[in-house]
Amino acid sequence: MRWTSWRGFRVSLISGRKILFLSLMMTFLMPFAQSGADPVGAGVSGTASVSEVSEPSKSNGDPLEKMNRGIFWLNEKGDIYLVAPAARVWRWVTPSFVRTAVVNVNRLILMPAIFGNDIFQLKFDKAGEDFLRVVFNASFGLGGLIDVATMVDIPQNDEDFGQTLGYWGVPHGPYLMLPLFGPATVRDGVGRVVDSGATFYFTLLPIWGTFIIRGVDLLNLRSRYLEEVDESRRDAFDYYVFMREAYMQNRDAKVARARGEDYQRAADDDLYYFDDEELEIEEYNDQVERKLQREQEKKKQDNEASTQKDAGEVKQ
Amino acid sequence: MRFGLSGSRSVYFFPKSKVSFLILAALSVVLLSASSASSEIDDPEAYMAPPRAVAQETLDRVISVLSQQDVPSRVRVSEIEQIVFEVFDFATMSKLVLARNWKKFDRQQQKEFVKEFKLYLSRTYGGRLDRYRQTAIEVYGSRIEPRGDVTVLSRVQGGEFDGIEMNYRMRERTGQWKVIDIIVEGVSLVSNFRSQFGEVINRGGPEKLFEKMEEKNAEQRLIIPEVD
């Protein structure tokens, strides 16, 4: 068979390269990651009082912060000067139904990975849903162009191999910023490599075909989040930390959901309560609250007046 | 903080992860307090009704503001700001995002922080929400958290962000239910800001944080001109 030939392997879905690249990175990083796992975290150097202040769980998740920040900086430059402008052009030249169709087709292409991970997580009902989804969208949906399955209420699942590993108890390991591919952890990086194996049929294509499909998918996805990314960049106090926290929390929540646990509940106590000082703060809070309420009422009155004025201007 | 006991017990489950230890330790604390909290609340449905009503009403108001296409954008944004002002408990949120740094701030700094953070949140979120026009948000459930907070669960329907999960954590104080955290697809606003602020304070101290905050708020003022 042609696609198992040497040439075929080389071509396979970028995955030949992707696997090589990632596995090299993994082998280099693993020992480094473990030695770097000091109690405070490599990125936050400081005095004893600082270590008391910083969140142990958070900084521990990022022993590679220094390297990650470097790669993140490069990725940011690449995005700002290359990918985002290209995505802006893409959004400008394509009508929205084309962009939706591209998303739908790519989702169909990636279904085998999701289906496989349903099975690996012993979620046979989800596997059934995903099988039906493929059948519907590939046939009535004209090869995935139209998402018929969603119209008939078959949910879109998002299982991936990183989640499957998490489901079986593998911890996420250090946070890892990958060049080009963006945020990951060691576990999820491995997961991505395994998942890409599920699109083995890409090996039937010549390499430029694979690049075009993946390229258009990336551009199209990026074009959907132009404003969101701009705003997040602008509003963040530390965009690297913002991305890391968002990624880690989202992944943790997904894995918790895969395990049937409640992630929020687990993180609860640390996040929402301070027992020793609860009373003192409570009292102070009430003071502030009363003052704020007074200010608010005043502001509301002012605002009502000005809104009416504005509405008046519009009519004119 | 060290949780030696639950840490050693969890070895069987998650090898070598301190994060898991902490989560597990937190979980065991939560489970203990959960059993006491649930016994206090006789009728969960009745308990959850007021916070759910507040959340639902707020969402309705936001959506009705967003649907006013004939009103200039800055008026819509300021109306959303106003709603955010009313339903968020900024004092509690400030305390939670600063975590242990809150104690290190003196009264004046704490007051200043609450004021600036409030301005920051209402402006950034007012401006952001204004872009989502044709979305509906369905409140589909709620749950009681271990120490009496209520989390209201909602989901975006339609539009580009169809199916996105948004949870609102609400707490009652002085007889009113107010939002103390928003969790979008598992990502908690409080937790995310806490990490960012922690980083800024660790690197440059509280002054740096104030400086950055004022900078951001000034930027926002340029983008969304003040109505009043």
Side-chain angles (χ1 to χ4, degrees):
Chain A
M1 281 189 291
R2 202 166 149 254
W3 55 269
T4 53
S5 69
W6 170 242
R7 187 180 164 276
F9 173 73
R10 198 166 56 87
V11 165
S12 75
L13 153 108
I14 323 183
S15 77
R17 280 150 199 229
K18 212 164 154 189
I19 289 170
L20 195 73
F21 172 71
L22 279 172
S23 54
L24 272 176
M25 289 228 348
M26 296 302 153
T27 26
F28 281 126
L29 293 180
M30 283 298 208
F32 181 37
Q34 268 166 9
S35 64
D38 64 81
V40 187
V44 198
S45 58
T47 57
S49 67
V50 172
S51 72
E52 181 196 305
V53 169
S54 68
E55 267 59 56
S57 59
K58 296 287 149 53
S59 20
N60 249 348
D62 195 7
L64 305 171
E65 180 166 350
K66 216 165 185 173
M67 184 199 72
N68 283 340
R69 275 193 191 263
I71 298 171
F72 184 67
W73 185 84
L74 279 175
N75 283 352
E76 280 292 284
K77 293 290 168 213
D79 183 65
I80 292 168
Y81 294 110
L82 213 71
V83 183
R88 207 152 265 139
V89 173
W90 170 259
R91 188 171 72 173
W92 187 68
V93 296
T94 51
S96 101
F97 72 87
V98 170
R99 296 195 297 271
T100 309
V102 171
V103 170
N104 291 341
V105 169
N106 273 291
R107 277 189 180 155
L108 186 69
I109 289 175
L110 298 176
M111 280 318 274
I114 299 176
F115 179 80
N117 284 301
D118 291 333
I119 304 274
F120 292 149
Q121 293 178 29
L122 314 177
K123 288 173 181 151
F124 301 108
D125 48 339
K126 282 199 171 182
E129 282 167 10
D130 289 334
F131 183 75
L132 273 182
R133 174 165 267 276
V134 171
V135 170
F136 271 75
N137 283 357
S139 57
F140 303 119
L142 311 176
L145 288 170
I146 307 162
D147 188 0
V148 184
T150 299
M151 295 172 194
V152 295
D153 281 337
I154 302 171
Q156 167 77 47
N157 297 318
D158 72 342
E159 269 69 10
D160 58 56
F161 199 69
Q163 288 180 50
T164 300
L165 290 174
Y167 175 85
W168 292 105
V170 178
H172 48 57
Y175 178 65
L176 203 60
M177 180 56 67
L178 302 175
L180 252 66
F181 300 101
T185 57
V186 171
R187 181 190 68 198
D188 294 338
V190 171
R192 287 174 81 148
V193 178
V194 174
D195 282 330
S196 64
T199 38
F200 57 88
Y201 39 77
F202 271 42
T203 51
L204 298 169
L205 293 171
I207 191 152
W208 52 265
T210 311
F211 275 124
I212 287 175
I213 292 177
R214 302 311 290 164
V216 168
D217 180 29
L218 182 87
L219 210 60
N220 190 57
L221 277 179
R222 184 64 185 84
S223 75
R224 302 178 91 202
Y225 299 103
L226 287 169
E227 281 79 14
E228 279 73 17
V229 175
D230 286 349
E231 280 166 353
S232 301
R233 243 182 223 142
R234 190 191 67 210
D235 295 339
F237 286 80
D238 184 327
Y239 188 47
Y240 170 81
V241 173
F242 170 86
M243 283 290 276
R244 184 187 68 203
E245 293 308 306
Y247 179 78
M248 294 296 265
Q249 282 185 49
N250 181 253
R251 291 300 295 177
D252 283 353
K254 276 184 175 158
V255 169
R257 202 183 298 161
R259 295 172 69 113
E261 287 164 2
D262 200 329
Y263 169 68
Q264 266 319 113
R265 244 162 228 242
D268 219 50
D269 242 49
D270 187 38
L271 193 55
Y272 296 113
Y273 300 99
F274 299 94
D275 273 328
D276 46 338
E277 57 211 74
E278 188 83 335
L279 276 175
E280 189 198 328
I281 287 168
E282 203 66 21
E283 189 190 324
Y284 172 67
N285 265 348
D286 289 341
Q287 258 178 18
V288 174
E289 182 85 345
R290 259 173 270 140
K291 187 153 176 291
L292 284 177
Q293 262 170 7
R294 256 179 281 137
E295 276 173 16
Q296 205 176 66
E297 262 154 40
K298 192 166 171 293
K299 178 128 199 231
K300 202 175 171 184
Q301 287 166 357
D302 292 352
N303 219 46
E304 264 165 25
S306 69
T307 313
Q308 280 168 1
K309 210 178 96 200
D310 268 320
E313 278 170 17
V314 174
K315 270 173 198 152
Q316 287 162 12
Chain B
M1 278 196 292
R2 292 270 166 226
F3 297 97
L5 184 70
S6 38
S8 56
R9 289 184 65 187
S10 67
V11 165
Y12 164 70
F13 224 55
F14 309 98
K16 279 187 208 163
S17 162
K18 281 171 193 153
V19 179
S20 323
F21 287 178
L22 280 173
I23 291 179
L24 222 89
L27 187 71
S28 53
V29 174
V30 167
L31 283 175
L32 283 175
S33 47
S35 51
S36 61
S38 54
S39 61
E40 286 163 23
I41 297 158
D42 304 325
D43 186 354
E45 282 307 314
Y47 184 80
M48 288 189 290
R52 268 183 86 147
V54 171
Q56 184 70 65
E57 195 205 319
T58 307
L59 287 171
D60 290 346
R61 277 172 71 192
V62 169
I63 287 164
S64 78
V65 170
L66 292 182
S67 63
Q68 295 170 3
Q69 295 290 320
D70 47 340
V71 176
S73 170
R74 65 195 185 95
V75 175
R76 277 200 305 267
V77 170
S78 89
E79 277 176 27
I80 295 170
E81 263 181 42
Q82 196 57 45
I83 296 169
V84 171
F85 270 22
E86 285 168 34
V87 294
F88 280 49
D89 181 349
F90 289 100
T92 302
M93 287 178 90
S94 302
K95 177 186 88 178
L96 294 177
V97 292
L98 285 180
R100 288 163 188 86
N101 285 316
W102 174 261
K103 267 199 295 192
K104 301 196 166 167
F105 282 28
D106 60 34
R107 287 275 148 114
Q108 195 51 45
Q109 282 176 315
Q110 288 174 345
K111 264 184 207 165
E112 180 70 12
F113 182 84
V114 173
K115 198 179 124 220
E116 289 288 331
F117 189 51
K118 175 179 170 179
L119 196 64
Y120 171 82
L121 277 186
S122 49
R123 287 195 182 270
T124 49
Y125 284 84
R128 273 179 201 211
L129 277 171
D130 192 45
R131 261 188 302 102
Y132 305 116
R133 297 286 147 70
Q134 319 95 322
T135 32
I137 298 169
E138 176 208 22
V139 175
Y140 71 90
S142 56
R143 62 165 184 256
I144 301 175
E145 301 293 352
R147 290 200 234 171
D149 289 354
V150 169
T151 299
V152 178
L153 315 168
S154 77
R155 200 181 280 129
V156 175
Q157 286 181 321
E160 270 185 271
F161 300 97
D162 187 36
I164 294 273
E165 297 265 345
M166 285 202 288
N167 300 345
Y168 310 89
R169 185 164 179 126
M170 307 187 71
R171 187 173 286 182
E172 188 185 19
R173 211 146 46 75
T174 54
Q176 281 176 313
W177 284 90
K178 298 213 166 179
V179 176
I180 62 162
D181 195 10
I182 300 181
I183 300 117
V184 181
E185 286 288 294
V187 181
S188 142
L189 181 148
V190 164
S191 176
N192 200 317
F193 277 112
R194 180 187 285 191
S195 301
Q196 291 188 60
F197 291 165
E199 187 83 16
V200 173
I201 291 173
N202 278 349
R203 283 171 183 233
E207 298 76 26
K208 184 77 189 163
L209 181 62
F210 279 112
E211 192 187 300
K212 277 203 161 189
M213 184 89 91
E214 272 157 31
E215 205 177 283
K216 303 263 175 215
N217 284 342
E219 272 172 37
Q220 285 293 317
R221 250 175 233 121
L222 294 180
I223 298 160
I224 313 155
E226 285 194 67
V227 175
D228 49 354

